[in-house]
Amino acid sequence: MIKTEVRERVNPIFGQRDPDDRGYFGTFGGCFVPETLVAPVEDLAKAYFEARSDPKFKNQLGELLDRYVGRPTPIYEAKRLSQDLGGARLFLKREDLAHTGAHKINNALGQALLAARMGKGRVVAETGAGQHGVATATACALLGLKCEVYMGAEDMKRQALNVVRMRLLGATVSPVHSGSQTLKDAINEAMRDWVANVQDSYYLLGSVLGPHPYPLMVREFQSVIGAEARQQILEVSGGLPDVVVACVGGGSNALGIFDGFVKDSSVRLIGVEAGGEAISTGRHAARFAGGSVGVLQGTRSVILQDTDGNVELTHSVSAGLDYAAVGPEHAWLRELGRAEYVWVTDTEALEAFGRLARLEGIIPALESAHALAKAEAMASKMEKDEVVLVNLSGRGDKDVEIVAEEGFDDLGTGCKQGASQEESRA
Amino acid sequence: MSSRISRVFSDLRKKGELGLVTYVTAGDPNLSRSADILKTLDQAGADVLEVGVPFSDPLADGPVIQRASERALASGTTLTQTLELIKRVRAVVQAPIVVFSYANPILRIGLESFAANASEAGVDGVLVLDLPIEEAGTFRHTLVEAGIDPIFLLSPTTTDLRIRQAAELGRGFLYGISRLGVTGARSEMATGVRGMVRRIRSVTSLPIAVGFGLSHPKHLQEIGKCADAAVVGSALVELIAQQADSEDLTTVIEDFIAWLKGGKGEGMDGS
């Protein structure tokens, strides 16, 4: 009998792991917003809870994920890379193959559908690397919504390709010149816009950050990654993976894939933060290595801050990981001991970027290259029958100029072994 | 026990006058200038002095107060130094002093020690921009225990239920936000202020100060028809930014306050 592969639609997972009524995961989360936003955020939560239990809404989203995004994205075994490392089998969840080139579209479509359902004609969003901005501009073009994206002026320079893409898609891209001119400042500006335009505008936040219900909502829209990945890895490897690795900026691709495995206690969940030029230099974005509990942009989580409670400047070669706070649910998973968080440096990520390109013909986003660097370092020390699953959250077209500037575009045959900070595990 | 804030508002009511609440950022342009500015505002007739704590991420503020926050941080001003500033001027300033902050600097110090230090410095009230009543339980309790008035903000989007809750939990006065959006001077007054003040009035006898966007005597006259006090922030902060290096700064501030209160003076109407 000929076995025909039928692509079955796998839906996001809703309502399985809710925070408490006030949006807390343990002691993290909550809703720390200016008074004007309290009612809009409550309205949003109400609308979201209604939508996620409405079969019509779920079907609409499922259909778009299927036909428009191209889901399910495949799981691919990186055999040449695994061979080169000489350890565990390395599998990649190919979110880079989703429409627009990253996992961000899963959430952008979900929230844009919600915005339309709430009767909002205008969407505001922030973006760091530009992938969320592109995804939002795409969803807005598809649904006929006006779109304004705030982006740090520094990020607009280093991710110029995505700025052009957003404008082509009909979005207005507004530069943000305050603070470090990166993701954090773009969020401040998007929230200022929202607070002035709450009546007709929807704030489409791109990660598992901000006030309740955003951290829950974004994780649930991204949970499709983990739901698919779990089925796929069981099919292709015959069992659960030993380790799941994902990069963590705000942490939406990580929570998306973790969600599929969080109940499988045998599976180690590893989040990889941006170690920048290393923790000791102070130029990094590794919140769990150098941060403490605080309140930033609507949520209580772990943030990089000074002794007076001001938020510190961050650094990473990857704009998408260059952020001072981390999603509250990550802080909680870490406190529970369910997930571990480590960091890799700019250099290690750049090396992993080059290795994947040369050995597998895949150019990953610099964000995802952080996860790869860690996964490679772990895999090289594991047994050949063990399985490491990496969320390849996005593709790296946007990053080729940076990589060239950093001098990592022509390494010849230099496929150096990854050397992440194993000892840095928190 | 009546607080300094309550006494000021009850005097204003007896006189039938509109109160003036002024906002400046501590440490803008530096702490010693801030001390002069606060003394000048007090002598010029401000009824309540709001002192802003500079913060790296002031997401409820418009560009004018954002820049002030940046200047203050650049001059090295922290929450602790803000409290020390208040302690230094407290003896010579008549008006009640309200600390205006974002949540994180206060949480970083710790609620208990913040309340103790603020009380020792002579702070009369505390208002936290990103701490709505749902998150403010412990905060409110700790402040009240320390003899400090917790002041809550109310917005045009605040529901009647939450107005009632804020009125029960708040002390001193309630701060009504005149419009949607961030802080910043506007040439036109928001419509709908009277409706919001009426909604607040119907559930509480606490005094009501209205702010966000007020910059002109005509705004104050409008506010005077419904509220107990008007808050002027960005317009004053902008003036300080322009005159930061000038020897006339205190005179300019005196003139500005006189103009706001009585419509007297000149040169302020160019907006």
Side-chain angles (χ1 to χ4, degrees), chain A residues 92-328:
Chain A
L92 308 178
K93 175 63 173 165
R94 297 291 307 275
E95 289 300 298
D96 60 314
L97 293 178
H99 180 43
T100 72
H103 72 291
K104 292 293 186 187
I105 191 74
N106 304 327
N107 166 57
L109 275 174
Q111 286 200 54
L113 281 175
L114 185 62
R117 189 182 159 101
M118 292 173 77
K120 309 282 185 184
R122 177 176 177 266
V123 164
V124 288
E126 81 297 336
T127 197
Q131 288 302 119
H132 172 60
V134 167
T136 302
T138 300
C140 288
L142 179 70
L143 299 175
L145 303 168
K146 264 182 79 177
C147 179
E148 179 153 7
V149 180
Y150 290 93
M151 187 169 189
E154 177 64 29
D155 286 342
M156 283 179 76
K157 262 186 273 169
R158 56 178 169 172
Q159 308 276 218
L161 173 70
N162 277 341
V163 176
V164 179
R165 291 173 78 198
M166 285 184 270
R167 287 180 175 151
L168 282 171
L169 291 159
T172 304
V173 183
S174 302
V176 178
H177 294 283
S178 56
S180 55
Q181 312 190 12
T182 60
L183 177 59
K184 171 180 74 93
D185 312 290
I187 294 178
N188 286 336
E189 211 54 43
M191 289 185 100
R192 288 180 189 124
D193 181 312
W194 192 33
V195 80
N197 300 293
V198 282
Q199 274 146 343
D200 71 335
S201 296
Y202 180 97
Y203 179 27
L204 208 161
L205 184 52
S207 194
V208 285
L209 301 166
H212 177 66
Y214 285 104
L216 168 70
M217 180 164 66
V218 177
R219 184 251 286 159
E220 293 199 322
F221 285 135
Q222 294 295 0
S223 67
V224 68
I225 305 172
E228 286 174 6
R230 191 175 188 281
Q231 281 191 18
Q232 291 167 322
I233 198 83
L234 286 170
E235 275 168 33
V236 297
S237 77
L240 288 167
D242 297 283
V243 186
V244 175
V245 188
C247 64
V248 180
S252 70
N253 90 81
L255 279 185
I257 197 160
F258 288 179
D259 199 55
F261 301 94
V262 79
K263 287 176 184 159
D264 301 312
S265 56
S266 69
V267 180
R268 278 177 74 186
L269 306 175
I270 312 274
V272 185
E273 299 184 279
E277 295 171 7
I279 308 307
S280 56
T281 67
R283 284 176 55 76
H284 65 90
R287 291 65 46 102
F288 289 127
S292 51
V293 174
V295 167
L296 180 65
Q297 294 173 334
T299 191
R300 183 177 190 275
S301 187
V302 173
I303 65 180
L304 290 170
Q305 58 180 329
D306 64 19
T307 51
D308 301 303
N310 287 304
V311 178
E312 288 181 326
L313 295 183
T314 53
H315 167 80
S316 170
V317 70
S318 140
L321 304 184
D322 200 351
Y323 180 62
V326 64

Side-chain angles (χ1 to χ4, degrees), chain A residues 355-404:
Chain A
R355 261 193 307 277
L356 194 72
R358 285 187 307 276
L359 291 175
E360 299 289 350
I362 298 170
I363 297 177
L366 276 174
E367 290 77 14
S368 322
H370 283 72
L372 275 169
K374 184 64 198 176
E376 290 172 7
M378 293 180 79
S380 67
K381 292 175 194 149
M382 291 165 68
E383 300 300 324
K384 288 203 180 328
D385 61 346
E386 291 185 294
V387 169
V388 175
L389 172 63
V390 183
N391 196 12
L392 196 72
S393 55
R395 70 179 187 220
D397 310 43
K398 67 186 179 63
D399 295 318
V400 294
E401 279 183 50
I402 297 170
V403 174

Side-chain angles (χ1 to χ4, degrees), chain A residues 34-36, chain B residues 129 153-156 175-181 193 196 200 209-212:
Chain A
E35 179 61 29
T36 299
Chain B
L129 273 157
L153 289 146
L154 299 168
S155 145
Y175 187 129
I177 299 171
S178 73
R179 60 172 70 235
L180 303 181
V193 172
M196 182 187 66
I200 302 172
V210 172
F212 277 41

Side-chain angles (χ1 to χ4, degrees), chain A residues 24 35 184 192 295 305 311, chain B residues 56-58 104 135 158 162:
Chain A
Y24 277 91
E35 179 61 29
K184 171 180 74 93
R192 288 180 189 124
V295 167
Q305 58 180 329
V311 178
Chain B
S56 55
D57 292 85
N104 200 52
E135 298 288 356
T158 307
R162 294 185 73 261

